Amino acid sequence: MSKITCFGEVLWDVFPTHKKIGGAPLNVANRLQSLDNEVTMISAIGKGENGAKLLNYIKDVGIDSSCIQVHNEYKTGKVKVMLNEKGSASYDIKYPRAWDKIRLTEVNKKAVKSSDAFVFGSLVARDDSSRSTLYGLIELAKYKIFDLNLRPPYYTKDVLFHLMDKADFIKFNDDELFEVCKYMGSKFNSLEQNLMFISEKTNTKQICVTKGSHGAVLLYDNKLYYNSGFLVKVIDTVGAGDSFLGTLISQLLNNVNPQKAIDFACAVGALVAQSEGANPVLSRSDIDAFINPH
């Protein structure tokens, strides 16, 4: 079991017919918690029913909510989710929201200092307030995990480069990898060459790239590990990458072999994609049966 702090957006994903609790760092935290890690969430909500329900949910699933701030002047996060015919999502992310204004406090500094790992994304850095807090907390973290979430227009090259330079572990999807490598002047065309290019440029020894239904590739201490994906009927892709990352982090921090870790994480990501919303409940036996059906 590891102690992990996640930083960033907590919000409501609003679909055409219903709404679900989400936000990439909260989805990661949720999956980490379900795998028996000790997880703290640093974020902010607004006053009112939406914030109260979010906070109750965080407490109910067992995530430490002591670093969730409540703001009077900003609303709780909300994202309008549009799904295409294949279940792939696009997002309209409302701004500004409470999670854009996370303050640096002694409580959240202490949480980061005492954790084995600190997980953060790029979206939370869209606002000066939360970005400044993130930059302060990064300096206190033992092991820094950066999950890129390139949501136009909410990122800049300078911020991405700064966060990649600070990270010990970076997670991209394949589109994000190629986009960032192009920014950095890569002349390579293959995924593996670009992955190694990023590793060299940012001095990061651990990088994972997800490839949608085609699985993922993991660079871990100078060796590449592959999983080619699982066949599922996609309901929606919301949160699948987040659950994948939470599972992979949990496995690696708890000293599971990297090949077993990426296989297990890909299975969890696939199971989430064939379920509705970002955080379906999955038991260990569900996951094992999916990987090795009898």
Side-chain angles (χ1 to χ4, degrees), residues 229-232 263 267 271 274 284-294:
F230 293 89
L231 182 65
V232 293
D263 292 343
L271 283 165
Q274 73 170 17
R284 180 70 196 230
S285 57
D286 291 336
I287 303 161
D288 288 338
F290 180 72
I291 296 170
N292 293 304
H294 296 301

Side-chain angles (χ1 to χ4, degrees), residues 252-264:
L252 294 173
L253 287 177
N254 292 303
N255 299 313
V256 172
N257 169 278
Q259 185 61 56
K260 285 188 173 172
I262 195 170
D263 292 343
F264 195 74

Side-chain angles (χ1 to χ4, degrees), residues 54-151:
L54 234 170
L55 187 59
N56 285 338
Y57 172 84
I58 290 166
K59 289 175 178 172
D60 287 348
V61 296
I63 295 168
D64 179 357
S65 63
S66 61
C67 295
I68 303 284
Q69 300 163 12
V70 181
H71 293 338
N72 293 327
E73 61 276 36
Y74 294 100
K75 291 181 180 175
T76 297
K78 184 170 122 178
V79 173
K80 190 177 173 189
V81 184
M82 289 78 70
L83 300 174
N84 69 13
E85 65 281 358
K86 292 180 180 175
S88 291
S90 55
Y91 305 93
D92 173 16
I93 306 163
K94 303 302 180 186
Y95 176 85
R97 293 286 158 148
W99 60 264
D100 288 305
K101 307 292 179 183
I102 304 168
R103 294 183 291 264
L104 186 63
T105 65
E106 290 307 314
V107 177
N108 55 33
K109 285 199 265 188
K110 186 179 174 188
V112 172
K113 276 184 190 170
S114 66
S115 291
D116 301 307
F118 178 54
V119 184
F120 55 92
S122 51
L123 182 57
V124 74
R126 70 179 181 170
D127 185 277
D128 291 348
S129 301
S130 287
R131 182 169 66 248
S132 170
T133 299
L134 174 58
Y135 284 8
L137 293 174
I138 282 173
E139 300 305 326
L140 307 174
K142 294 187 186 83
Y143 185 72
K144 301 168 281 292
I145 297 165
F146 178 30
D147 177 18
L148 273 86
N149 263 311
L150 299 190
R151 303 275 182 251

